[in-house]
Coordinates of all heavy atoms in Angstrom, one line a residue:
M81 N 0.9 -1.2 0.0 CA 0.0 0.0 0.0 C 0.9 1.2 0.0 O 1.7 1.4 0.9 CB -0.9 -0.1 1.2 CG -1.9 1.0 1.3 SD -3.1 0.9 2.7 CE -3.7 -0.8 2.6
A82 N 0.7 2.1 -1.0 CA 1.6 3.3 -1.1 C 0.9 4.5 -0.4 O -0.3 4.8 -0.6 CB 1.7 3.6 -2.6
F83 N 1.7 5.1 0.5 CA 1.2 6.3 1.2 C 1.9 7.5 0.7 O 3.1 7.4 0.3 CB 1.6 6.1 2.7 CG 0.6 5.2 3.4 CD1 0.8 3.8 3.4 CD2 -0.5 5.7 4.1 CE1 0.0 3.0 4.1 CE2 -1.3 4.9 4.8 CZ -1.1 3.5 4.8
V84 N 1.2 8.6 0.6 CA 1.8 9.9 0.2 C 1.5 10.9 1.3 O 0.5 10.8 2.1 CB 1.2 10.4 -1.1 CG1 1.6 9.5 -2.2 CG2 -0.3 10.5 -1.1
R85 N 2.4 11.9 1.4 CA 2.2 12.9 2.4 C 1.0 13.8 2.1 O 1.0 14.4 1.0 CB 3.5 13.8 2.6 CG 3.4 14.8 3.7 CD 4.7 15.6 3.8 NE 4.7 16.5 5.0 CZ 4.1 17.6 5.1 NH1 3.4 18.1 4.1 NH2 4.1 18.3 6.2
A86 N 0.1 14.0 3.0 CA -1.1 14.8 2.8 C -0.8 16.2 3.4 O -1.2 17.2 2.8 CB -2.3 14.2 3.4
C87 N -0.2 16.2 4.6 CA 0.0 17.5 5.3 C 0.8 17.2 6.5 O 1.1 16.1 6.8 CB -1.3 18.2 5.6 SG -2.4 17.2 6.8
G88 N 1.1 18.2 7.3 CA 1.8 18.1 8.5 C 0.7 17.9 9.7 O -0.3 18.6 9.6
L89 N 1.0 17.1 10.6 CA 0.1 17.0 11.8 C -0.1 18.3 12.5 O -1.2 18.6 12.9 CB 0.7 15.9 12.7 CG -0.2 15.5 13.9 CD1 -1.5 14.9 13.4 CD2 0.5 14.5 14.8
S90 N 1.0 19.1 12.5 CA 0.9 20.4 13.1 C 0.0 21.4 12.4 O -0.4 22.4 12.9 CB 2.3 21.0 13.3 OG 2.9 21.1 12.1
E91 N -0.3 21.1 11.1 CA -1.2 22.0 10.3 C -2.7 21.7 10.7 O -3.5 22.5 10.3 CB -1.0 21.7 8.8 CG 0.4 22.0 8.3 CD 0.5 21.6 6.9 OE1 -0.3 21.9 6.1 OE2 1.5 20.9 6.6
L92 N -3.0 20.6 11.4 CA -4.4 20.3 11.6 C -4.9 20.9 12.9 O -4.1 20.9 13.9 CB -4.5 18.8 11.7 CG -4.2 18.0 10.4 CD1 -4.3 16.5 10.7 CD2 -5.1 18.4 9.3
E93 N -6.1 21.4 12.9 CA -6.8 21.9 14.1 C -7.8 20.9 14.4 O -8.5 20.4 13.5 CB -7.4 23.2 13.9 CG -6.4 24.3 13.6 CD -7.0 25.7 13.4 OE1 -8.1 26.0 14.1 OE2 -6.6 26.4 12.5
E94 N -8.0 20.6 15.7 CA -9.0 19.6 16.2 C -10.4 20.0 15.6 O -10.8 21.2 15.7 CB -9.1 19.7 17.7 CG -10.0 18.6 18.3 CD -9.5 17.2 18.3 OE1 -8.3 17.0 18.0 OE2 -10.3 16.3 18.6
D95 N -11.1 19.0 15.0 CA -12.4 19.1 14.4 C -12.5 20.1 13.3 O -13.6 20.6 13.0 CB -13.4 19.5 15.5 CG -13.6 18.4 16.6 OD1 -13.3 17.2 16.2 OD2 -13.9 18.7 17.7
T96 N -11.4 20.5 12.6 CA -11.5 21.4 11.5 C -10.9 20.7 10.3 O -9.7 20.4 10.2 CB -10.6 22.6 11.8 OG1 -11.1 23.3 13.0 CG2 -10.7 23.6 10.6
P97 N -11.7 20.3 9.3 CA -11.3 19.6 8.1 C -10.3 20.4 7.3 O -10.4 21.7 7.2 CB -12.5 19.4 7.3 CG -13.7 19.7 8.2 CD -13.2 20.6 9.3
K98 N -9.3 19.8 6.7 CA -8.3 20.4 5.9 C -8.4 19.7 4.5 O -8.2 18.5 4.4 CB -6.9 20.2 6.4 CG -5.8 20.9 5.5 CD -4.5 20.8 6.2 CE -3.4 21.4 5.4 NZ -3.6 22.9 5.1
R99 N -8.7 20.4 3.5 CA -8.8 19.9 2.1 C -7.4 19.8 1.5 O -6.6 20.8 1.5 CB -9.7 20.7 1.2 CG -9.8 20.2 -0.2 CD -10.6 21.1 -1.1 NE -10.5 20.7 -2.5 CZ -11.4 20.1 -3.2 NH1 -12.6 19.8 -2.6 NH2 -11.3 19.8 -4.4
V100 N -7.0 18.6 1.0 CA -5.8 18.4 0.2 C -6.1 17.7 -1.1 O -7.2 17.1 -1.2 CB -4.8 17.6 1.0 CG1 -4.4 18.4 2.3 CG2 -5.3 16.2 1.4
E101 N -5.2 17.8 -2.0 CA -5.4 17.0 -3.3 C -4.3 16.1 -3.4 O -3.1 16.5 -3.4 CB -5.5 18.0 -4.5 CG -6.2 17.3 -5.6 CD -6.8 18.3 -6.6 OE1 -7.6 19.1 -6.2 OE2 -6.4 18.2 -7.8
L102 N -4.6 14.8 -3.6 CA -3.6 13.8 -3.7 C -3.7 13.1 -5.0 O -4.8 12.4 -5.3 CB -3.7 12.8 -2.5 CG -3.6 13.3 -1.1 CD1 -3.9 12.2 -0.1 CD2 -2.3 14.0 -0.9
D103 N -2.8 13.2 -5.9 CA -2.8 12.6 -7.2 C -4.2 13.0 -7.9 O -4.8 12.1 -8.5 CB -2.6 11.1 -7.2 CG -1.3 10.7 -6.7 OD1 -0.3 11.5 -6.9 OD2 -1.1 9.6 -6.1
G104 N -4.6 14.2 -7.8 CA -5.8 14.6 -8.4 C -7.1 14.3 -7.7 O -8.2 14.6 -8.1
T105 N -7.0 13.6 -6.5 CA -8.2 13.2 -5.7 C -8.4 14.2 -4.6 O -7.5 14.3 -3.7 CB -8.0 11.8 -5.2 OG1 -7.8 10.9 -6.3 CG2 -9.2 11.4 -4.4
P106 N -9.5 14.8 -4.4 CA -9.8 15.7 -3.3 C -10.0 14.9 -2.0 O -10.9 14.0 -2.0 CB -11.0 16.5 -3.7 CG -11.7 15.6 -4.7 CD -10.7 14.8 -5.4
V107 N -9.3 15.2 -1.0 CA -9.4 14.5 0.3 C -9.5 15.5 1.4 O -8.9 16.5 1.4 CB -8.1 13.6 0.5 CG1 -8.1 12.9 1.8 CG2 -8.0 12.6 -0.6
S108 N -10.4 15.2 2.4 CA -10.5 16.0 3.6 C -9.8 15.2 4.7 O -10.1 14.0 5.0 CB -12.0 16.2 3.9 OG -12.1 17.0 5.0
V109 N -8.8 15.8 5.3 CA -8.1 15.3 6.4 C -8.6 15.9 7.7 O -8.7 17.1 7.8 CB -6.6 15.5 6.3 CG1 -5.8 14.9 7.4 CG2 -6.1 14.9 4.9
V110 N -9.0 15.1 8.7 CA -9.6 15.6 9.9 C -8.9 14.9 11.1 O -8.8 13.7 11.2 CB -11.1 15.2 9.9 CG1 -11.7 15.8 11.2 CG2 -11.8 15.8 8.7
Q111 N -8.6 15.8 12.1 CA -8.1 15.3 13.4 C -9.3 15.5 14.4 O -9.7 16.6 14.6 CB -6.9 16.1 13.9 CG -6.4 15.6 15.2 CD -5.1 16.3 15.6 OE1 -4.6 17.2 14.9 NE2 -4.5 15.9 16.7
T112 N -9.7 14.4 15.0 CA -10.8 14.4 15.9 C -10.7 13.2 16.9 O -10.3 12.2 16.5 CB -12.2 14.5 15.2 OG1 -13.2 14.7 16.2 CG2 -12.5 13.2 14.5
E113 N -11.1 13.4 18.1 CA -11.2 12.4 19.1 C -9.9 11.6 19.2 O -9.9 10.4 19.3 CB -12.4 11.4 18.8 CG -13.7 12.1 18.8 CD -14.9 11.2 18.6 OE1 -14.7 10.0 18.5 OE2 -16.0 11.8 18.5
G114 N -8.7 12.3 19.0 CA -7.4 11.7 19.2 C -6.9 10.9 18.0 O -5.9 10.2 18.1
E115 N -7.7 10.9 16.9 CA -7.3 10.2 15.7 C -7.3 11.2 14.5 O -7.8 12.2 14.5 CB -8.2 9.0 15.4 CG -8.2 8.0 16.4 CD -9.1 6.8 16.1 OE1 -8.8 6.1 15.0 OE2 -10.1 6.6 16.7
V116 N -6.6 10.7 13.4 CA -6.6 11.4 12.1 C -7.3 10.6 11.1 O -7.0 9.4 10.9 CB -5.2 11.8 11.7 CG1 -5.2 12.6 10.4 CG2 -4.6 12.7 12.8
F117 N -8.2 11.2 10.3 CA -9.0 10.5 9.3 C -8.8 11.1 8.0 O -8.6 12.3 7.9 CB -10.5 10.4 9.7 CG -10.8 9.8 11.0 CD1 -10.9 10.5 12.2 CD2 -11.0 8.4 11.1 CE1 -11.1 9.9 13.4 CE2 -11.2 7.8 12.3 CZ -11.3 8.5 13.4
A118 N -9.0 10.4 6.9 CA -9.0 10.9 5.5 C -10.2 10.4 4.8 O -10.5 9.1 4.8 CB -7.7 10.5 4.8
I119 N -11.0 11.3 4.3 CA -12.2 10.9 3.6 C -12.3 11.7 2.3 O -11.8 12.8 2.2 CB -13.4 11.2 4.5 CG1 -14.7 10.7 4.0 CG2 -13.5 12.7 4.8 CD1 -15.9 10.7 5.0
Y120 N -12.9 11.0 1.3 CA -13.1 11.7 0.0 C -13.9 13.0 0.2 O -14.9 13.0 1.0 CB -13.9 10.8 -0.9 CG -14.1 11.3 -2.3 CD1 -13.0 11.5 -3.2 CD2 -15.3 11.6 -2.9 CE1 -13.1 11.9 -4.5 CE2 -15.5 12.1 -4.2 CZ -14.4 12.2 -5.0 OH -14.5 12.7 -6.2
D121 N -13.4 14.1 -0.4 CA -13.9 15.4 0.0 C -15.2 15.9 -0.7 O -15.6 17.0 -0.5 CB -12.8 16.5 -0.2 CG -13.1 17.8 0.4 OD1 -13.5 17.8 1.6 OD2 -13.0 18.8 -0.3
I122 N -15.8 15.0 -1.5 CA -17.0 15.4 -2.2 C -18.2 14.6 -1.7 O -18.2 13.4 -1.7 CB -16.8 15.2 -3.8 CG1 -15.6 15.9 -4.3 CG2 -18.1 15.7 -4.5 CD1 -15.6 17.4 -4.1
C123 N -19.2 15.3 -1.3 CA -20.5 14.7 -0.9 C -21.1 13.8 -2.0 O -21.1 14.2 -3.1 CB -21.5 15.8 -0.5 SG -23.1 15.1 0.1
S124 N -21.6 12.6 -1.6 CA -22.2 11.7 -2.5 C -23.5 12.1 -3.0 O -24.1 11.6 -4.0 CB -22.2 10.3 -1.9 OG -23.1 10.3 -0.8
H125 N -24.1 13.1 -2.3 CA -25.4 13.6 -2.7 C -25.4 14.8 -3.7 O -26.1 14.9 -4.6 CB -26.2 14.0 -1.5 CG -27.5 14.7 -1.8 ND1 -27.6 16.1 -1.6 CD2 -28.7 14.3 -2.3 CE1 -28.8 16.5 -2.0 NE2 -29.5 15.4 -2.4
A126 N -24.4 15.7 -3.4 CA -24.3 16.9 -4.2 C -22.8 17.1 -4.4 O -22.0 16.7 -3.6 CB -24.9 18.1 -3.6
N127 N -22.4 17.7 -5.5 CA -21.0 18.0 -5.8 C -20.4 19.1 -4.9 O -20.2 20.2 -5.4 CB -20.8 18.3 -7.3 CG -19.4 18.3 -7.7 OD1 -18.5 17.7 -7.0 ND2 -19.1 18.9 -8.8
V128 N -20.3 18.9 -3.6 CA -20.0 19.9 -2.6 C -18.8 19.4 -1.8 O -18.8 18.2 -1.4 CB -21.2 20.2 -1.7 CG1 -20.8 21.3 -0.8 CG2 -22.4 20.6 -2.6
S129 N -17.9 20.3 -1.5 CA -16.7 19.9 -0.6 C -17.1 19.7 0.8 O -17.7 20.6 1.5 CB -15.7 21.1 -0.7 OG -14.6 20.8 0.2
L130 N -16.8 18.5 1.3 CA -17.1 18.2 2.7 C -16.2 18.9 3.7 O -16.6 19.2 4.8 CB -17.0 16.7 3.0 CG -18.0 15.8 2.3 CD1 -17.7 14.3 2.5 CD2 -19.4 16.1 2.8
S131 N -15.1 19.3 3.2 CA -14.1 20.0 4.1 C -14.6 21.4 4.5 O -14.1 22.0 5.4 CB -12.7 20.1 3.5 OG -12.8 20.9 2.3
E132 N -15.7 21.9 3.9 CA -16.3 23.2 4.3 C -17.4 23.0 5.4 O -17.9 23.9 5.9 CB -16.9 23.8 3.1 CG -15.9 24.2 2.0 CD -16.5 24.8 0.8 OE1 -17.6 25.5 0.9 OE2 -15.9 24.7 -0.3
G133 N -17.6 21.7 5.7 CA -18.6 21.4 6.8 C -18.0 21.3 8.2 O -16.8 21.5 8.4
E134 N -18.9 21.0 9.1 CA -18.4 20.9 10.5 C -18.2 19.4 10.9 O -18.8 18.5 10.3 CB -19.5 21.5 11.4 CG -19.6 23.0 11.2 CD -20.6 23.6 12.1 OE1 -21.1 23.0 13.1 OE2 -20.9 24.8 11.9
V135 N -17.4 19.2 11.9 CA -17.1 17.9 12.4 C -17.6 17.8 13.9 O -17.3 18.7 14.7 CB -15.6 17.6 12.4 CG1 -15.2 16.3 13.1 CG2 -15.1 17.6 10.9
E136 N -18.3 16.7 14.1 CA -18.8 16.4 15.5 C -19.0 14.9 15.6 O -19.6 14.3 14.7 CB -20.0 17.2 15.8 CG -20.5 17.1 17.2 CD -21.7 18.0 17.5 OE1 -22.0 19.0 16.7 OE2 -22.4 17.8 18.5
D137 N -18.6 14.4 16.8 CA -18.9 12.9 17.1 C -18.4 12.0 15.9 O -19.1 11.1 15.5 CB -20.4 12.7 17.3 CG -20.9 13.4 18.5 OD1 -20.1 13.6 19.5 OD2 -22.1 13.8 18.6
C138 N -17.2 12.3 15.4 CA -16.6 11.5 14.4 C -17.4 11.5 13.1 O -17.4 10.5 12.3 CB -16.3 10.1 14.9 SG -14.7 9.5 14.2
Q139 N -18.1 12.6 12.8 CA -18.9 12.7 11.6 C -18.5 14.1 11.0 O -18.3 15.0 11.7 CB -20.4 12.8 12.0 CG -21.0 11.6 12.7 CD -21.6 10.6 11.8 OE1 -22.1 10.9 10.8 NE2 -21.5 9.3 12.2
I140 N -18.6 14.1 9.6 CA -18.4 15.3 8.9 C -19.7 15.6 8.2 O -20.3 14.7 7.6 CB -17.2 15.2 7.9 CG1 -16.8 16.6 7.4 CG2 -17.4 14.2 6.9 CD1 -15.5 16.7 6.7
E141 N -20.1 16.9 8.3 CA -21.4 17.3 7.8 C -21.3 18.1 6.5 O -20.4 19.0 6.4 CB -22.2 18.1 8.8 CG -23.6 18.5 8.3 CD -24.3 19.4 9.3 OE1 -23.7 20.4 9.8 OE2 -25.4 19.1 9.7
C142 N -22.0 17.7 5.5 CA -22.1 18.5 4.3 C -22.9 19.8 4.6 O -24.0 19.7 5.1 CB -22.8 17.7 3.2 SG -22.9 18.7 1.7
W143 N -22.2 20.9 4.3 CA -22.8 22.2 4.7 C -24.1 22.5 3.9 O -24.9 23.3 4.3 CB -21.8 23.3 4.6 CG -21.3 23.5 3.2 CD1 -20.2 22.9 2.6 CD2 -21.9 24.3 2.2 NE1 -20.1 23.3 1.3 CE2 -21.1 24.2 1.0 CE3 -23.0 25.2 2.1 CZ2 -21.4 24.9 -0.2 CZ3 -23.3 25.8 0.9 CH2 -22.5 25.7 -0.2
L144 N -24.2 21.9 2.7 CA -25.3 22.3 1.8 C -26.6 21.8 2.2 O -27.6 22.5 2.3 CB -25.0 22.0 0.4 CG -25.9 22.5 -0.7 CD1 -26.0 24.0 -0.7 CD2 -25.5 22.0 -2.1
H145 N -26.7 20.5 2.4 CA -28.0 19.8 2.7 C -28.0 19.1 4.1 O -29.0 18.5 4.4 CB -28.4 18.9 1.6 CG -28.6 19.5 0.3 ND1 -27.8 19.2 -0.8 CD2 -29.5 20.4 -0.1 CE1 -28.2 20.0 -1.8 NE2 -29.3 20.7 -1.4
G146 N -26.9 19.1 4.8 CA -26.9 18.6 6.1 C -26.6 17.1 6.3 O -26.7 16.6 7.4
S147 N -26.3 16.4 5.2 CA -26.0 15.0 5.4 C -24.7 14.9 6.1 O -23.7 15.7 5.9 CB -25.8 14.3 4.0 OG -27.1 14.1 3.4
S148 N -24.5 13.9 7.0 CA -23.3 13.6 7.7 C -22.7 12.3 7.3 O -23.5 11.3 7.1 CB -23.5 13.7 9.2 OG -23.8 15.0 9.7
F149 N -21.4 12.2 7.3 CA -20.7 11.0 6.9 C -19.8 10.6 8.1 O -19.1 11.4 8.6 CB -19.9 11.2 5.7 CG -20.8 11.5 4.5 CD1 -21.1 12.8 4.2 CD2 -21.3 10.5 3.7 CE1 -21.9 13.1 3.1 CE2 -22.1 10.8 2.6 CZ -22.4 12.1 2.3
D150 N -19.8 9.3 8.4 CA -18.9 8.7 9.4 C -17.5 8.8 8.9 O -17.2 8.3 7.8 CB -19.3 7.3 9.8 CG -18.6 6.7 11.0 OD1 -17.3 6.8 11.0 OD2 -19.3 6.3 11.9
L151 N -16.6 9.4 9.7 CA -15.2 9.5 9.2 C -14.5 8.2 9.2 O -13.5 8.0 8.5 CB -14.4 10.5 10.1 CG -14.8 11.9 10.0 CD1 -14.3 12.8 11.2 CD2 -14.4 12.5 8.7
R152 N -15.0 7.2 9.9 CA -14.3 5.9 10.0 C -14.8 5.0 8.8 O -14.0 4.2 8.3 CB -14.7 5.2 11.3 CG -14.1 5.9 12.5 CD -14.8 5.3 13.8 NE -16.2 5.7 13.7 CZ -16.9 6.2 14.8 NH1 -16.2 6.5 15.9 NH2 -18.1 6.5 14.6
T153 N -16.0 5.1 8.4 CA -16.6 4.2 7.4 C -17.0 4.9 6.1 O -17.2 4.3 5.0 CB -17.8 3.5 7.9 OG1 -18.9 4.5 8.1 CG2 -17.5 2.7 9.2
G154 N -17.2 6.2 6.1 CA -17.7 7.0 5.0 C -19.2 6.8 4.8 O -19.8 7.4 3.9
K155 N -19.9 6.1 5.6 CA -21.4 5.9 5.5 C -22.1 7.1 5.9 O -21.8 7.7 6.9 CB -21.8 4.6 6.3 CG -21.3 3.3 5.7 CD -21.7 2.2 6.5 CE -21.1 0.9 6.0 NZ -21.4 -0.3 6.8
P156 N -23.2 7.4 5.2 CA -24.0 8.6 5.6 C -24.9 8.2 6.8 O -25.3 7.0 6.9 CB -24.9 8.9 4.3 CG -24.9 7.6 3.6 CD -23.6 6.8 3.9
S157 N -25.2 9.2 7.6 CA -26.0 8.9 8.8 C -27.4 9.5 8.6 O -28.2 9.4 9.6 CB -25.3 9.4 10.0 OG -25.1 10.8 10.0
G158 N -27.6 10.2 7.5 CA -28.9 10.7 7.3 C -29.1 11.3 5.9 O -28.2 11.5 5.2
L159 N -30.4 11.4 5.6 CA -30.7 12.0 4.2 C -30.3 13.4 4.1 O -30.1 14.1 5.1 CB -32.2 11.8 4.0 CG -32.7 10.4 4.1 CD1 -34.3 10.4 4.0 CD2 -32.2 9.6 2.9
P160 N -30.1 13.9 2.9 CA -30.5 13.3 1.7 C -29.5 12.3 1.1 O -29.7 11.6 0.1 CB -30.7 14.5 0.7 CG -29.8 15.5 1.2 CD -29.7 15.3 2.7
A161 N -28.2 12.3 1.6 CA -27.2 11.3 1.1 C -27.6 9.9 1.4 O -28.0 9.6 2.5 CB -25.9 11.6 1.6
T162 N -27.5 9.0 0.5 CA -27.7 7.6 0.7 C -26.5 6.7 0.4 O -26.5 5.5 0.7 CB -28.9 7.1 -0.1 OG1 -28.7 7.3 -1.5 CG2 -30.2 7.8 0.3
R163 N -25.6 7.2 -0.3 CA -24.4 6.5 -0.7 C -23.2 6.9 0.1 O -23.0 8.1 0.4 CB -24.0 6.7 -2.2 CG -25.1 6.1 -3.1 CD -24.7 6.5 -4.5 NE -24.4 7.9 -4.5 CZ -24.4 8.8 -5.4 NH1 -24.7 8.4 -6.6 NH2 -24.0 10.0 -5.3
P164 N -22.3 5.9 0.5 CA -21.1 6.3 1.3 C -20.1 7.0 0.4 O -20.2 7.0 -0.9 CB -20.6 5.0 1.8 CG -21.1 4.0 0.8 CD -22.4 4.5 0.3
V165 N -19.1 7.6 1.0 CA -18.0 8.2 0.3 C -16.8 7.4 0.8 O -16.7 6.9 1.9 CB -17.8 9.7 0.6 CG1 -18.9 10.5 0.0 CG2 -17.7 10.0 2.0
P166 N -15.7 7.3 -0.1 CA -14.5 6.6 0.3 C -13.8 7.2 1.5 O -13.7 8.4 1.6 CB -13.7 6.6 -1.0 CG -14.6 7.0 -2.1 CD -15.7 7.8 -1.5
V167 N -13.3 6.3 2.3 CA -12.3 6.7 3.4 C -11.0 6.0 3.1 O -10.9 5.0 2.4 CB -12.8 6.3 4.8 CG1 -14.1 7.1 5.1 CG2 -13.1 4.8 4.9
Y168 N -9.9 6.6 3.5 CA -8.6 6.2 3.2 C -7.7 5.9 4.4 O -7.9 6.6 5.4 CB -7.9 7.2 2.3 CG -8.7 7.6 1.1 CD1 -9.4 8.8 1.1 CD2 -8.8 6.8 0.0 CE1 -10.1 9.2 0.0 CE2 -9.6 7.2 -1.1 CZ -10.2 8.4 -1.1 OH -11.0 8.7 -2.2
P169 N -6.8 4.9 4.3 CA -5.9 4.6 5.4 C -5.0 5.8 5.7 O -4.5 6.5 4.7 CB -5.1 3.4 4.9 CG -5.9 2.8 3.8 CD -6.7 3.9 3.2
V170 N -4.7 6.0 7.0 CA -3.9 7.1 7.4 C -2.8 6.5 8.3 O -3.1 5.7 9.1 CB -4.7 8.2 8.2 CG1 -3.8 9.2 8.8 CG2 -5.7 8.8 7.3
K171 N -1.6 7.1 8.2 CA -0.6 6.8 9.2 C 0.2 8.0 9.5 O 0.3 8.9 8.6 CB 0.3 5.6 8.8 CG 1.2 5.8 7.6 CD 2.0 4.5 7.4 CE 2.9 4.6 6.2 NZ 3.7 3.4 6.0
I172 N 0.7 8.1 10.7 CA 1.5 9.3 11.1 C 2.9 8.9 11.3 O 3.3 7.9 11.9 CB 1.0 9.8 12.5 CG1 -0.6 10.1 12.4 CG2 1.7 11.1 12.9 CD1 -1.1 11.1 11.4
E173 N 3.8 9.7 10.7 CA 5.3 9.5 10.8 C 5.9 10.8 11.2 O 6.0 11.7 10.3 CB 5.9 8.9 9.5 CG 5.5 7.5 9.2 CD 6.2 6.9 8.0 OE1 7.0 7.6 7.3 OE2 6.0 5.7 7.7
G174 N 6.2 11.0 12.5 CA 6.7 12.3 12.9 C 5.6 13.3 12.8 O 4.5 13.1 13.4
D175 N 5.9 14.4 12.1 CA 4.8 15.4 11.9 C 4.1 15.2 10.5 O 3.2 15.9 10.2 CB 5.5 16.8 11.9 CG 4.4 17.9 11.8 OD1 3.5 17.9 12.7 OD2 4.5 18.7 10.9
D176 N 4.4 14.1 9.8 CA 3.8 13.9 8.5 C 2.5 13.0 8.6 O 2.5 12.0 9.3 CB 4.8 13.2 7.6 CG 5.9 14.0 7.2 OD1 5.8 15.3 7.2 OD2 7.0 13.5 6.9
V177 N 1.4 13.5 8.0 CA 0.2 12.7 7.9 C 0.3 12.1 6.5 O 0.3 12.8 5.5 CB -1.0 13.6 8.0 CG1 -2.3 12.8 7.8 CG2 -1.1 14.3 9.4
L178 N 0.3 10.8 6.5 CA 0.4 10.0 5.2 C -0.9 9.3 4.9 O -1.5 8.8 5.8 CB 1.6 9.0 5.3 CG 2.9 9.5 5.7 CD1 3.9 8.4 5.9 CD2 3.4 10.5 4.7
V179 N -1.3 9.4 3.7 CA -2.6 8.8 3.3 C -2.4 7.9 2.1 O -1.6 8.2 1.2 CB -3.6 9.9 2.9 CG1 -4.9 9.4 2.3 CG2 -3.9 10.8 4.1
S180 N -3.1 6.8 2.1 CA -3.0 5.9 0.9 C -4.4 6.0 0.2 O -5.4 5.9 0.9 CB -2.8 4.4 1.4 OG -3.0 3.6 0.3
L181 N -4.3 6.2 -1.1 CA -5.6 6.3 -1.8 C -6.2 4.9 -2.1 O -7.3 4.9 -2.7 CB -5.3 7.0 -3.1 CG -5.1 8.5 -2.9 CD1 -4.9 9.2 -4.3 CD2 -6.1 9.2 -2.2
N182 N -5.6 3.9 -1.6 CA -6.3 2.6 -1.6 C -7.4 2.6 -0.6 O -7.1 2.9 0.6 CB -5.3 1.4 -1.2 CG -4.2 1.3 -2.3 OD1 -4.5 1.5 -3.5 ND2 -3.1 0.8 -1.8
Q183 N -8.6 2.5 -1.0 CA -9.8 2.7 -0.1 C -9.9 1.6 1.0 O -9.6 0.4 0.7 CB -11.1 2.6 -0.9 CG -11.3 3.8 -1.8 CD -12.6 3.6 -2.5 OE1 -12.6 3.8 -3.7 NE2 -13.7 3.2 -1.9
E184 N -10.3 2.0 2.2 CA -10.6 1.1 3.2 C -12.1 0.6 3.1 O -12.4 -0.5 3.4 CB -10.4 1.7 4.6 CG -9.0 1.8 5.0 CD -8.8 2.3 6.4 OE1 -9.8 2.8 7.1 OE2 -7.7 2.1 6.9
S185 N -12.9 1.6 2.6 CA -14.3 1.2 2.4 C -14.9 2.0 1.2 O -14.3 2.9 0.8 CB -15.1 1.5 3.6 OG -15.2 2.8 3.9

């Protein structure tokens, strides 16, 4: 599994998504509840950046219509979204947040 540097751990603020682009793929990197997650940055319901939404209880909310996605699984927790979005493996090496675009789900 190939990992690429997404950002520095020191660049992340708790519960504040950071949008990065990895090999042309938009990814939202989120530090919350003591972990770092990487999720596809486009809502499955509307073509909207999830990194512009809020994070709470390990969920990221789409700001446009209010659908939330689990940062661990990518599954939506409410309408209008019905399809999950991809989540990606993350590992931390020093201050580097590394993400693999091989999907976990």
Side-chain angles (χ1 to χ4, degrees):
M81 187 176 308
F83 283 84
V84 295
R85 184 181 189 279
C87 62
L89 187 59
S90 59
E91 296 173 49
L92 298 176
E93 294 180 38
E94 185 77 9
D95 296 332
T96 303
K98 178 174 181 64
R99 181 185 168 106
V100 297
E101 200 157 305
L102 305 175
D103 296 329
T105 301
V107 175
S108 183
V109 180
V110 181
Q111 181 177 4
T112 188
E113 298 183 7
E115 295 185 66
V116 177
F117 300 93
I119 189 167
Y120 186 65
D121 192 48
I122 305 298
C123 178
S124 63
H125 169 255
N127 190 21
V128 183
S129 175
L130 292 176
S131 63
E132 295 178 29
E134 295 184 9
V135 173
E136 187 175 340
D137 296 328
C138 217
Q139 305 265 329
I140 189 167
E141 182 182 51
C142 177
W143 63 269
L144 187 59
H145 296 116
S147 290
S148 290
F149 297 87
D150 190 305
L151 290 168
R152 298 166 292 229
T153 66
K155 293 180 181 173
S157 61
L159 297 174
T162 58
R163 293 175 316 202
V165 293
V167 295
Y168 306 105
V170 173
K171 66 181 180 178
I172 308 298
E173 290 183 356
D175 186 55
D176 293 332
V177 176
L178 306 174
V179 175
S180 173
L181 290 181
N182 295 328
Q183 288 181 229
E184 285 189 343
S185 65

